[in-house]
Amino acid sequence: MPRRKIVEKAILSLNMLGTEDVWQPRIGPPPGSQNALKNGRFTMAAKARRKEAATMRKRVRVLVQRASLLVAETETKRKRATSTPPSAPPPNRARESRRAEESPS
């Protein structure tokens, strides 16, 4: 079939809207349809279930982030408490023992 005939058929099969006509597509099945959605992915119950699961995932994600920050904070505090700073000299035990000997008790 030549291309010209296909284009002519396509143009003739379209109904042009007038200037005052507004095209409003209908969404969903016609009223009274036996094929209307009664169960599946897009029912209200399924949408509510997915929304609740998404909310729960967000809350868990926030809790995990808080817990990881808390763990990191406690680890840094523990490291600071157990390690001596490199600029401080080590404690001199000999000086302390001399002071104990010199002081009269």
Side-chain angles (χ1 to χ4, degrees):
M1 183 180 263
R3 184 168 174 78
R4 185 173 186 167
K5 287 185 180 180
I6 293 173
V7 172
E8 287 175 3
K9 281 186 178 182
I11 292 173
L12 293 176
S13 64
L14 289 175
N15 293 332
M16 298 301 291
L17 295 174
T19 55
E20 62 276 344
D21 294 333
V22 178
W23 182 64
Q24 295 177 348
R26 291 181 173 241
I27 298 174
S33 172
Q34 295 299 313
N35 295 326
L37 181 67
K38 294 175 184 71
N39 57 27
R41 182 177 180 190
F42 298 104
T43 58
M44 286 177 60
K47 286 181 180 180
R49 193 170 40 247
R50 284 195 304 272
K51 188 173 185 177
E52 185 177 343
T55 306
M56 182 68 72
R57 281 193 302 269
K58 287 178 187 176
R59 292 177 65 193
V60 167
R61 189 179 306 124
V62 168
L63 288 174
V64 168
Q65 286 176 346
R66 285 184 184 174
S68 64
L69 288 174
L70 184 64
V71 166
E73 184 179 320
T74 55
E75 285 179 358
T76 55
K77 284 182 181 178
R78 189 175 296 142
K79 285 181 183 177
R80 286 181 187 166
T82 58
S83 66
T84 58
S87 62
N92 193 346
R93 302 281 179 203
R95 191 180 299 169
E96 292 174 5
S97 63
R98 269 191 247 136
R99 284 185 190 159
E101 292 174 4
E102 292 174 1
S103 64
S105 314

